[in-house]
Amino acid sequence: MAEQPLLRVDHLGVRYAASHAAALEDVSLSLMKGERLALIGESGSGKSTFARAIAHLLPPGAARSGDITWLALEAPPEAGRDLAFVLQDPSASLDPVMTIGEQVAEGAVAHLGLSWGEAYAHAATLLARVQLPEPEHLLKAYPHQLSGGQRQRVAIAAALAAGPSILIADEVTSALDRIVEAEIVALLDGLVRDEAMTLIFITHDIALAAKLADRISVFADGRLVEDAPAAQLLARPQAEATQRLLSAHMDLSTPSLLREVP
Amino acid sequence: MKRIAALLRRRLAGAVPVLFIVIAFAFLLLESAPGDAVDAYLVSVGGGDATLAASLRAQYGLDQSTLSRLWLYLAALTHFDLGWSVAFDRPVLSLIGERLPTTLVLMGSATLLSFGLGSFLGIVAASHPGSLRDRLLSMASLTLYAIPGFWLALLLLIVFAVDLRWLPFSGFETVASHKTGLARLADIARHLVLPVVTLSLIYLALYLRVMRAAMGEVWRQDFILFARARGLSARRILWRHVARNALLPLVTVLGLQSAAMLGGSIIIESVFAIPGFGRLAQEAVAGRDAPLLVGLILVSALFVLSINLVVDLLYAWLDPRVGSVEAR
Amino acid sequence: MGMMARLLRTRSGLIGACLLLVMALAALAAPVLFPGDPLAIAGPAFLPPLADTAFPLGTDSLGRDVLAGLFHGARASLAVGLAAALAALLVGLVVGTVAGFAGGWVDEVLMRITDAFQVIPRFLLALAFVSVLGGSMTTVVIAIALSSWTEPARLVRAEVLSIRERDYAAAARVIGMHPAEIAFREILPIALPPVLALSAIIVAAAIMIESALSFLGFGDPNIVTWGSMMAEGRNVLRSAPFLSVVPGIALLVTVLAVYLVSEGVNTALNNNQAVPRG
């Protein structure tokens, strides 16, 4: 892999408007082009905030400090065109009253300069690319007609509509059951490999992180507590939070009811 | 289209018991009003003695028990017989049929104007929450919301009919002007400007506030975050995603408002002396005309039920989730 | 008490509460400041406002003091508004709680009746009641209440349904409390806050309906109300527009104050819940 740095984050801090505690504090991290980085941590650890901060998707009123520098690009990546962001709950991340086709096509219209007709054709290709059956038929369907796993595939297709080179996947499987989770992970794995994308994969499941990522960054209480290659981190966990996540995985190796609760 | 048909069937079935309760209520109201149809008839023919009254009552079954009278009332209703108006000495149905179109024109124009302008201003306000524009619009809409309709009507009359003399003071058209065709239409339109504007302004505030609040709700949804993450233009997010979803609660309000607006037309039509449905209601109460009042109640209930049915269909058309099997 | 403090900390709540306080004081002070019948002739007719210090807001077509009418009108508006809203809330609470708690056919029947009341225009309904019962203060209150109870009933029912299956209701059932006792003792207090936010809207609507009824001449003829003042002003709209404008301003301010309070309540309730997710 070409060791070309893509992103440098220095002393990043985030504070939401209505709360006193910092959501993220003094996080420094770098990312290579084509790297697969997993951000793990318990809920509220700051991993999602970190991802949203670098994607410029923090809610209005959030205060950011520190620097985010994109190195391999002439300009900061443009949302949708260079950087894709997929959210946790596929039932909530699709517009309920817009057809699947339009939602996938609109990104292509916005960034690729396609006409709507071309964009719909492109959308059908993308839906096939994320292994959804009968893509032509799906174009006219609405999100509520699909299963959770299918919706997440649609969301991935929509996020990738303009062919971005960076993909941020924020807990994309935690609203799905184990079997569907495995399918989505396999899909992401293949897509990232085929398109040579850089992947930032956010999860609270350390096993999933290890399966998909080259490197794992562990977050706890708004701070980055450990950052190491995946194999090394699993073999010799240093931080207490990492050890906690590892032992939690042992407990959760059988599917638990807890997963159902968002 | 199957889901729409199923919805239609369900709503119609739901409307039947409601209509029966309204009829029962209307009957109770008629019963508790002093005098009955025979008294009304005798007044209209210039009086009559007690034996004539008694024989008429026997002939129409009015001397029978309450229950059988309710039965007779229902039987009359199935023949679209709403009874006889005491004050106007005419069948209630033809009277209402004559007055209703005027009110429908008034309400239709006012609904279009208030819904269109109100939702548009709601979008404008919600596109930059907390901005000066938003706060001004919110304050203005709250004030408008608090303005009594008849007072607003009087104010507009003072300004536009008394001081500026731009618009006619009252009525539906110029009396005995013998205008025809387009000239007559223009005359009616001039007369309707103030009443329509008054009604619209009162209900505009509600649409504005509901739209703004609904937009606020939608802004917080994940699919808006996802739309931003995909780099869609601000305009497309605002109109195609946020406003489109916020329209749904607004359509529900549209149905609820049909009843309120019909009520509001009573007072607006009285102020502007427009011979419509609402004015008729005022005249019915003033003339102690129970059959007419009860007929008005029945017709308005039927009207509101039909509007709600139309709104349900509109909603189903706007929201593909309605009536789907795997509704979450 | 905490709720009151939170309410007053919101700007709209504070302004609304102050305005309402002024109105309430005016209503209470009316018999002291303007003893005697406000319907009695007090001076020359059609005195414009600010022309005579004895009648700061002028006199009407019969020479009655407009300011006195305004003060006494505040009494009528506030009294009718509050009484009617209270009665409507009470009916709504009972119907909603019974429907939500009983479920089954009781719920079905009660909700169809609620539907029936909602498809008849509220003002037409109030007019119908007044025409049957006759125009007096009490009947106006009853008429408004009977045409306004449906919204609180629906809201309370929805709240009760959502609370009914929660743990403490189940626990209360287990320890053998009577269903009605659970409903009115355990569930109602929790369902109440959203109903209170709605109650301000009902008060405002009641005040509006009362004034509209009086404006059309179907109110209590022996009492001065803002609506009846405007109705009389309307007859002389061309020569003395102030007679219909002034009482309308009082009505507008009162209703606006109630809305501001309701907005303050909503803000206070939301602030209490708003915790952003990390």
Side-chain angles (χ1 to χ4, degrees):
Chain A
M1 189 186 305
E3 290 289 292
Q4 189 187 6
L6 174 68
L7 168 69
R8 263 212 67 77
V9 175
D10 294 300
H11 310 294
L12 181 67
V14 172
R15 198 175 280 274
Y16 289 115
S19 75
H20 301 289
L24 206 61
E25 217 169 344
D26 195 25
V27 173
S28 298
L29 195 75
S30 60
L31 184 67
M32 298 296 156
K33 197 169 178 188
E35 197 179 7
R36 294 165 163 221
L37 170 70
L39 309 180
I40 67 170
E42 290 155 344
S43 56
S45 61
K47 56 190 192 304
S48 284
T49 301
F50 177 81
R52 288 190 188 189
I54 58 177
H56 285 283
L57 286 177
L58 290 172
R64 209 186 76 185
S65 58
D67 294 311
I68 297 173
T69 323
W70 295 91
L71 300 160
L73 307 160
E74 300 94 68
E78 194 181 309
R81 195 191 62 189
D82 309 309
L83 190 151
F85 198 110
V86 183
L87 301 169
Q88 173 176 357
D89 182 1
S91 331
S93 58
L94 295 174
D95 187 332
V97 298
M98 188 184 276
T99 60
I100 303 286
E102 187 170 353
Q103 296 194 58
V104 178
E106 61 184 349
V109 170
H111 299 293
L112 303 180
L114 301 185
S115 71
W116 277 102
E118 294 163 346
Y120 273 106
H122 182 62
T125 323
L126 281 164
L127 290 175
R129 187 83 183 72
V130 295
Q131 293 154 27
L132 281 165
E134 297 184 73
E136 290 292 339
H137 183 71
L138 263 184
L139 289 178
K140 292 190 203 69
Y142 288 92
H144 73 270
Q145 294 167 306
L146 306 183
S147 71
Q150 289 173 323
R151 281 178 216 163
Q152 196 59 295
R153 286 168 194 270
V154 170
I156 292 169
L160 299 182
S165 59
I166 307 160
L167 172 62
I168 301 180
D170 186 0
E171 302 251 21
V172 289
T173 60
S174 55
L176 306 171
D177 66 48
R178 281 268 158 167
I179 296 166
V180 180
E181 175 181 275
E183 291 170 7
I184 297 285
V185 166
L187 174 70
L188 281 179
D189 189 37
L191 285 171
V192 169
R193 180 167 302 123
D194 296 350
E195 312 288 334
M197 283 189 281
T198 308
L199 173 70
I200 299 180
F201 185 81
I202 298 145
T203 179
H204 55 260
D205 185 339
I206 196 162
L208 210 55
K211 204 186 299 174
L212 210 54
D214 316 320
R215 207 175 96 213
I216 298 178
S217 301
V218 184
F219 283 75
D221 299 324
R223 289 173 177 278
L224 176 65
V225 292
E226 189 166 1
D227 180 24
Q232 183 193 327
L233 187 115
L234 284 186
R236 291 185 299 281
Q238 304 289 317
E240 194 195 332
T242 316
Q243 286 158 5
R244 247 197 339 263
L245 285 163
L246 267 173
S247 59
H249 172 68
M250 306 300 175
D251 300 340
L252 285 170
S253 49
T254 49
S256 152
L257 284 175
L258 275 175
R259 301 184 66 80
E260 310 294 324
V261 182
Chain B
M1 284 308 99
K2 223 163 76 189
R3 70 185 177 94
I4 305 257
L7 174 83
L8 200 60
R9 253 199 316 278
R10 210 166 52 238
R11 286 302 147 94
L12 277 176
V16 170
V18 173
L19 200 59
F20 269 105
I21 295 171
V22 173
I23 291 174
F25 168 76
F27 178 72
L28 275 179
L29 213 58
L30 259 184
E31 289 286 298
S32 54
D36 60 14
V38 169
D39 292 327
Y41 172 73
L42 290 179
V43 169
S44 75
V45 297
D49 57 15
T51 38
L52 177 61
S55 73
L56 278 172
R57 286 206 170 86
Q59 192 185 336
Y60 292 107
L62 290 175
D63 55 348
Q64 292 166 30
S65 71
T66 311
L67 212 60
S68 51
R69 282 205 307 279
L70 174 61
W71 184 248
L72 282 174
Y73 184 62
L74 280 173
L77 285 182
T78 55
H79 297 104
F80 299 103
D81 178 4
L82 288 182
W84 194 265
S85 158
V86 186
F88 290 85
D89 193 20
R90 283 178 56 185
V92 167
L93 190 66
S94 79
L95 199 53
I96 294 178
E98 190 181 291
R99 297 289 194 95
L100 197 55
T102 309
T103 301
L104 291 184
V105 170
L106 184 66
M107 278 181 67
S109 334
T111 303
L112 278 181
L113 197 62
S114 57
F115 187 86
L117 201 60
S119 54
F120 176 75
L121 289 177
I123 295 171
V124 168
S127 60
H128 292 100
S131 65
L132 181 68
R133 189 169 64 181
D134 177 32
R135 278 180 310 189
L136 281 179
L137 276 171
S138 293
M139 199 56 227
S141 72
L142 194 67
T143 311
L144 211 52
Y145 201 40
I147 287 185
F150 53 98
W151 186 67
L152 184 62
L154 292 178
L155 277 192
L156 292 175
L157 272 179
I158 292 171
V159 175
F160 292 101
V162 176
D163 284 353
L164 297 171
R165 292 174 186 277
W166 286 354
L167 292 162
F169 194 77
S170 63
F172 181 67
E173 57 185 313
T174 311
V175 181
S177 65
H178 304 298
K179 284 180 176 156
T180 50
L182 276 181
R184 179 166 176 240
L185 272 184
D187 183 48
I188 292 177
R190 258 171 57 79
H191 279 82
L192 283 184
V193 169
L194 283 183
V196 167
V197 166
T198 311
L199 260 187
S200 318
L201 282 178
I202 303 169
Y203 294 104
L204 180 149
L206 183 72
Y207 291 121
L208 195 163
R209 296 178 70 74
V210 171
M211 189 66 179
R212 184 182 171 278
M215 299 265 297
E217 283 292 313
V218 180
W219 275 122
R220 283 195 287 277
Q221 301 287 315
D222 269 5
F223 63 84
I224 298 304
L225 181 69
F226 190 49
R228 279 171 52 210
R230 287 180 289 144
L232 303 180
S233 68
R235 187 199 281 181
R236 183 168 174 85
I237 294 177
L238 178 68
W239 289 95
R240 279 299 283 134
H241 290 285
V242 183
R244 173 66 175 75
N245 275 277
L247 204 58
L248 296 173
L250 204 65
V251 168
T252 313
V253 173
L254 189 66
L256 294 175
Q257 277 317 95
S258 62
M261 219 182 211
L262 201 54
S265 77
I266 298 176
I267 203 139
I268 298 302
E269 288 180 2
S270 309
V271 174
F272 290 101
I274 293 172
F277 184 90
R279 181 82 188 283
L280 195 58
Q282 189 235 335
E283 287 162 344
V285 177
R288 301 214 154 268
D289 191 342
L292 179 56
L293 187 61
V294 166
L296 286 164
I297 287 177
L298 284 181
V299 170
S300 59
L302 205 59
F303 174 77
V304 172
L305 278 171
S306 345
I307 292 286
N308 278 324
L309 204 63
V310 172
V311 166
D312 277 340
L313 292 179
L314 186 64
Y315 193 101
W317 178 64
L318 285 172
D319 188 345
R321 289 165 296 183
V322 171
S324 79
V325 189
E326 57 286 61
R328 289 159 35 87
Chain C
M1 248 20 247
M3 185 65 221
M4 196 67 200
R6 277 209 303 279
L7 170 67
L8 293 180
R9 225 172 294 146
T10 66
R11 196 167 31 168
S12 46
L14 184 65
I15 298 173
C18 287
L19 286 175
L20 273 187
L21 192 67
V22 170
M23 284 297 162
L25 286 177
L28 289 175
V32 182
L33 292 176
F34 302 95
D37 187 359
L39 286 169
I41 293 166
F46 288 124
L47 208 60
L50 306 176
D52 186 338
T53 47
F55 306 106
L57 288 179
T59 57
D60 70 1
S61 53
L62 293 175
R64 294 177 293 203
D65 186 353
V66 172
L67 190 63
L70 224 49
F71 271 73
H72 283 271
R75 276 175 96 75
S77 281
L78 290 181
V80 171
L82 286 177
L86 208 65
L89 277 173
L90 210 64
V91 177
L93 275 177
V94 171
V95 172
T97 312
V98 170
F101 207 79
W105 66 268
V106 177
D107 181 31
E108 192 62 30
V109 168
L110 284 176
M111 288 333 282
R112 290 298 83 75
I113 292 176
T114 311
D115 282 343
F117 270 81
Q118 279 187 320
V119 298
I120 304 173
R122 194 196 257 195
F123 189 62
L124 184 58
L125 201 57
L127 266 185
F129 283 124
V130 168
S131 83
V132 170
L133 302 171
S136 81
M137 212 63 176
T138 325
T139 58
V140 168
V141 168
I142 294 173
I144 298 174
L146 283 176
S147 58
S148 309
W149 59 271
T150 51
E151 274 173 64
R154 275 185 189 288
L155 185 66
V156 171
R157 173 177 175 271
E159 287 290 320
V160 168
L161 282 182
S162 79
I163 295 168
R164 198 173 90 159
E165 295 310 319
R166 283 188 218 158
D167 292 348
Y168 41 80
R173 246 194 315 272
V174 168
I175 62 168
M177 276 171 78
H178 189 270
E181 202 179 342
I182 303 174
F184 284 94
R185 265 242 194 110
E186 304 292 318
I187 292 184
L188 210 52
I190 299 158
L192 219 46
V195 178
L196 284 181
L198 177 69
S199 62
I201 306 287
I202 295 173
V203 172
I207 292 176
M208 289 266 221
I209 295 179
E210 186 281 324
S211 69
L213 285 173
S214 322
F215 180 75
L216 288 185
F218 301 130
D220 191 327
N222 303 315
I223 291 173
V224 181
T225 69
W226 294 334
S228 62
M229 288 172 79
M230 276 184 269
E232 280 168 27
R234 176 190 165 199
N235 297 327
V236 288
L237 196 61
R238 288 171 200 270
S239 52
F242 71 92
L243 286 178
S244 31
V245 172
V246 170
I249 292 174
L251 183 54
L252 167 63
V253 169
T254 309
V255 174
L256 189 61
V258 175
Y259 282 147
L260 284 172
V261 167
S262 123
E263 207 166 67
V265 170
N266 276 330
T267 315
L269 283 177
N270 285 338
N271 284 351
N272 210 21
Q273 298 165 345
V275 178
R277 51 190 206 139

